[in-house]
Amino acid sequence: MKADFIPLNLRGGMALVRKSLFSFTASRGFFWTLAVSWMMAPLILMFVWVAAAGNGTIGGLGKSRFISYYLCLMLVNQLTYPTSHWTIGDNIRLGTLSTWLMRPLPIIYEAVASDMALKVVCMPLVLILTAVLAVFLGFGTGIDPGLMPVFIPVLLLACVLRFILAYTLSLSAMWTQKTDSLLSVNDILVFLLAGQAAPTGLLPGILRTASEYLPFRYMLGFPVEIVTGMLTNRQILTGLLVQTIWLFGIFVVQRSVYRRGIKRFTAAGG
Amino acid sequence: MEHSIVVESLKKIYRTAERDTGILPAVKSLLRPSFTEVTAVDGISFALGQGEMVGFIGPNGAGKTTTLKMLSGLLFPTSGNILAAGFKPWERKPSYLKRIGFLMGNKSQLTWDNTIGDSFFILKEIYGVNDLEYKRRLEELTGLLELESLLNRLARTLSLGERARCELASVLIHNPDILYLDEPTLGLDVSMQLRLREFIREYNRKYGTTVIITSHYMSDIVSLCPRVILINKGKLSYDGALSGLGDKVAPFRLIKFRLPASQLGGAEMPMPEQAALEAELIDSLDSERTYRVRKEHILPFAAYLLEKSITDLTIEDPPMEAVIDEVYRKGIADMPHDETEQVLQASAKPDGRLA
């Protein structure tokens, strides 16, 4: 299976974004509800930490820092959270993948296009809601525009990292048919170690160490920590290095899983 | 003739899980799953010329769809060779995928929540069809398949017949050189079947597209395919003209006639050495009789009948459905594959490998 040298098909990719966009727009109510539900966990956790901090600080973070952190996290979470991996398994199991395989472009295009389209559909609502929350709750700490040149590329890398890991896990449906439980484990680890349950700096002992070395923090918490000014330059550089290594490593694994998975799928029939 | 598709000793073996029924075997299979091998396609060979239209026929589970999937690149063959439009399909090179169209009877190319026009446009972009060519093709397909009123409708709102026409158009947007049609008229009413058949025939004639059709509707095959390939239990049972299949499998004719009035109500007219002529009475209604008679016995049988003052004597070929039924039930014994072998030899390289 020589899928390695397939040239980019940007026209096809953009057409798939358009296709998904039209589909999602037709069901926008459903997706907006989803987007709001994804904001709930950070919002609740923000209130928990704000209440816990009271008028003092926890790990150096006061009430206003927690509000800033979680409002940023809400946005970054929406931008980095992929959803296509939840449906790829179904497409493999139900044989829809056959239709994708008949097209002259790799199946990852479908997944990328679906996620891009979903962000276009959901982000306006998420931005409005976050802005309203920021006004009502008082956005505590200003964001340093000087950090944007670092934040934006790290955010993009976080998007790719979170997507590529979830996508790779979803490809395991080529062997297991059902991937929901595996994807749920991934989501739980993101919740715990990526800075949702708590900023990773507040995690205790081994969890904190794990969050520094595992990929999950670099999918979500790391860009938030950068933009809210929680990291030193050295910490940013170290984080960027770990993020890049994970991205490269998972990308290599994804290529291998894809090749083997397609070979298995085309051996067994769709 | 230039070959569009050459298939040589193609084989596909599936490995499938199996276990006995009951709780204990179910638990046991968790610890030690057992598998069995199913040979879906068993060493078939054939070659198709550019622009040929061929019917793949065979009973359910014969290996037709599996063969089509291997030809399209969706399945990796266990062994054997395929060369389609100069490509090995299982490599799934975009340049090959752009040259084929595969209409899968139970899978849709259309996007449920998109309009038909949008679905076509997306396929146009994916296949890199330029705007001018797309406009021309859309006009042509819209005209031939009467899609004008459907372009602005969502795929999920279409009836079965409307969707079938749109599905067919969707695999033709990029003007493929080879078209694989797996049950293209499945579930359609007679009128819609006729229209789709007419379209496929016209399309094949106009563009010289190589077409392989599988269908359980014999009318599709009879009206479209001068050549049929019969697959049964994974093996190629017949490859040749449709008319030849009848001669091969059912070397008999149907003799119909009316009894003279004097015979009605009395004892049945005795037939001459009926057993020797292997004539079999298969239908009897009022004064009408239908006998099935081997071809070589037609003349003596007819001569005898004419002496007995019968009327309205006709000699007919058996219906194709009956022939196919015969094939599916009994198979074809010792079918020579001479034609296929000759074609394969002609297309082979000097070292014996396929070109």
Side-chain angles (χ1 to χ4, degrees):
Chain A
M1 194 65 53
K2 295 177 184 172
D4 302 30
F5 307 108
I6 292 172
L8 275 176
N9 183 345
L10 288 178
R11 269 179 73 184
M14 289 313 294
L16 287 177
V17 173
R18 177 180 159 141
K19 177 198 82 169
S20 297
L21 196 56
F22 288 167
S23 288
F24 295 161
T25 309
S27 312
R28 57 194 172 281
F30 168 72
F31 290 106
W32 285 349
T33 312
L34 262 185
V36 171
S37 73
W38 294 330
M39 295 175 80
M40 285 299 115
L43 191 63
I44 291 165
L45 285 160
M46 179 180 73
F47 286 128
V48 169
W49 284 106
V50 165
N55 291 325
T57 61
I58 298 175
L61 301 177
K63 177 182 166 186
S64 62
R65 295 291 296 273
F66 278 119
I67 291 173
S68 304
Y69 177 86
Y70 275 106
L71 287 179
C72 287
L73 188 126
M74 271 182 216
L75 281 179
V76 171
N77 187 40
Q78 295 278 346
L79 283 167
T80 58
Y81 186 55
T83 52
S84 57
H85 58 290
W86 289 104
T87 51
I88 285 174
D90 289 340
N91 285 302
I92 292 170
R93 187 165 52 87
L94 300 173
T96 323
L97 189 71
S98 299
T99 314
W100 295 0
L101 287 173
M102 287 312 302
R103 295 174 181 164
L105 73 183
I107 64 168
I108 195 170
Y109 277 59
E110 277 280 352
V112 172
S114 166
D115 279 325
M116 286 174 72
L118 190 65
K119 289 182 195 346
V120 173
V121 172
C122 291
M123 278 319 286
L125 177 75
V126 173
L127 282 170
I128 291 168
L129 291 178
T130 312
V132 170
L133 284 169
V135 169
F136 275 96
L137 297 170
F139 195 75
T141 306
I143 288 176
D144 181 1
L147 291 169
M148 284 298 154
V150 183
F151 169 70
I152 290 171
V154 166
L155 177 65
L156 287 174
L157 290 176
C159 279
V160 179
L161 181 62
R162 200 168 176 185
F163 168 81
I164 204 78
L165 178 64
Y167 174 71
T168 307
L169 294 175
S170 71
L171 289 179
S172 64
M174 305 267 194
W175 288 269
T176 61
Q177 301 289 313
K178 290 264 193 181
T179 53
D180 293 12
S181 50
L182 187 62
L183 297 176
S184 294
V185 169
N186 178 48
D187 272 8
I188 289 167
L189 289 172
V190 169
F191 176 78
L192 187 65
L193 299 174
Q196 271 204 64
T200 54
L202 300 186
L203 291 172
I206 191 166
L207 284 182
R208 183 174 176 174
T209 310
S211 77
E212 283 171 7
Y213 291 104
L214 291 175
F216 306 104
R217 174 186 176 225
Y218 305 95
M219 300 171 182
L220 179 58
F222 182 51
V224 178
E225 289 165 20
I226 289 176
V227 79
T228 51
M230 293 166 74
L231 300 179
T232 64
N233 287 346
R234 187 183 170 82
Q235 286 171 319
I236 291 174
L237 277 175
T238 310
L240 194 56
L241 182 68
V242 178
Q243 187 183 39
T244 309
I245 289 171
W246 271 113
L247 187 58
F248 181 76
I250 295 173
F251 187 73
V252 169
V253 172
Q254 180 271 326
R255 301 272 288 183
S256 172
V257 170
Y258 177 77
R259 270 200 299 273
R260 287 162 195 264
I262 292 295
K263 193 163 185 180
R264 183 182 165 87
F265 186 81
T266 55
Chain B
M1 185 192 285
E2 188 188 341
H3 290 119
S4 178
I5 298 173
V6 180
V7 173
E8 186 184 36
S9 307
L10 190 64
K11 199 166 193 173
K12 180 67 194 176
I13 298 173
Y14 291 115
R15 186 167 174 262
T16 56
E18 65 165 10
R19 64 171 170 80
D20 292 332
T21 50
I23 293 174
L24 204 61
V27 174
K28 201 174 156 187
S29 74
L30 287 175
L31 304 171
R32 285 191 64 176
S34 66
F35 296 91
T36 184
E37 289 191 337
V38 177
T39 304
V41 174
D42 194 3
I44 66 173
S45 301
F46 59 85
L48 268 62
Q50 182 63 46
E52 259 199 282
M53 184 136 65
V54 176
F56 260 28
I57 57 173
N60 288 328
K64 305 183 297 291
T65 302
T66 299
T67 306
L68 281 194
K69 283 183 172 178
M70 285 192 280
L71 288 170
S72 66
L74 272 181
L75 273 179
F76 202 95
T78 305
S79 65
N81 268 317
I82 307 172
L83 208 62
F87 292 89
K88 290 176 179 170
W90 59 86
E91 291 178 352
R92 294 185 45 256
K93 290 185 175 166
S95 40
Y96 174 63
L97 297 174
K98 283 183 177 181
R99 291 185 63 179
I100 65 166
F102 189 5
L103 180 67
M104 291 178 266
N106 56 350
K107 300 210 167 63
S108 177
Q109 283 279 353
L110 306 170
T111 310
W112 216 232
D113 288 320
N114 280 5
T115 64
I116 297 302
D118 282 330
S119 286
F120 288 168
F121 178 82
I122 286 155
L123 290 167
K124 169 238 177 204
E125 290 293 282
I126 289 173
Y127 284 94
V129 180
N130 69 52
D131 291 345
L132 202 64
E133 174 66 10
Y134 174 65
K135 191 167 175 262
R136 197 186 64 73
R137 290 201 63 72
L138 189 61
E139 275 172 13
E140 183 185 23
L141 292 170
T142 302
L144 286 170
L145 288 166
E146 298 172 34
L147 304 176
E148 187 66 51
S149 60
L150 307 180
L151 291 177
N152 292 331
R153 287 178 56 190
L154 297 179
R156 64 182 153 87
T157 65
L158 301 184
S159 71
L160 185 62
E162 290 168 338
R163 204 154 62 235
R165 280 184 282 151
C166 293
E167 293 285 359
L168 186 54
S170 74
V171 296
L172 298 172
I173 291 286
H174 59 290
N175 197 13
D177 295 330
I178 301 174
L179 194 52
Y180 303 116
L181 301 175
D182 192 12
E183 303 283 357
T185 58
L186 189 69
L188 301 183
D189 63 40
V190 176
S191 166
M192 190 59 66
Q193 286 180 26
L194 286 171
R195 285 162 69 188
L196 281 194
R197 268 179 224 142
E198 185 52 42
F199 172 80
I200 293 166
R201 187 184 300 111
E202 175 62 19
Y203 194 88
N204 165 260
R205 190 192 59 73
K206 188 171 179 182
Y207 291 104
T209 310
T210 307
V211 183
I212 299 184
I213 302 175
T214 76
S215 180
H216 285 295
Y217 296 127
M218 276 317 294
S219 324
D220 286 348
I221 304 295
V222 171
S223 67
L224 287 174
C225 307
R227 176 181 167 194
V228 292
I229 292 177
L230 181 103
I231 303 176
N232 201 1
K233 294 177 183 166
K235 291 183 184 294
L236 193 148
S237 300
Y238 177 81
D239 180 359
L242 188 59
S243 54
L245 183 62
D247 288 341
K248 184 82 191 169
V249 179
F252 57 81
R253 295 285 183 274
L254 301 180
I255 293 189
K256 293 182 178 179
F257 57 89
R258 284 180 188 279
L259 292 171
S262 58
Q263 293 282 330
L264 288 175
E268 188 70 18
M269 183 172 70
M271 286 296 146
E273 302 165 356
Q274 195 168 322
L277 293 181
E278 296 181 39
E280 182 187 354
L281 178 67
I282 58 170
D283 198 16
S284 171
L285 181 66
D286 299 329
S287 64
E288 284 185 14
R289 299 290 181 272
T290 304
Y291 279 83
R292 198 167 79 151
V293 185
R294 289 190 70 84
K295 277 194 295 186
E296 59 270 29
H297 299 148
I298 292 283
L299 273 178
F301 195 82
Y304 171 80
L305 290 174
L306 288 169
E307 285 173 7
K308 299 293 177 188
S309 310
I310 56 94
T311 55
D312 296 342
L313 176 75
T314 57
I315 301 172
E316 297 175 359
D317 284 326
M320 190 45 70
E321 275 77 3
V323 173
I324 297 299
D325 176 55
E326 191 90 358
V327 173
Y328 288 3
R329 283 187 295 113
K330 298 178 182 170
I332 300 178
D334 52 47
M335 164 64 201
H337 296 174
D338 297 348
E339 286 178 29
T340 307
E341 288 302 322
Q342 283 167 13
V343 171
L344 286 170
Q345 281 165 15
S347 62
K349 283 180 172 177
D351 63 0
R353 299 281 299 166
L354 286 175

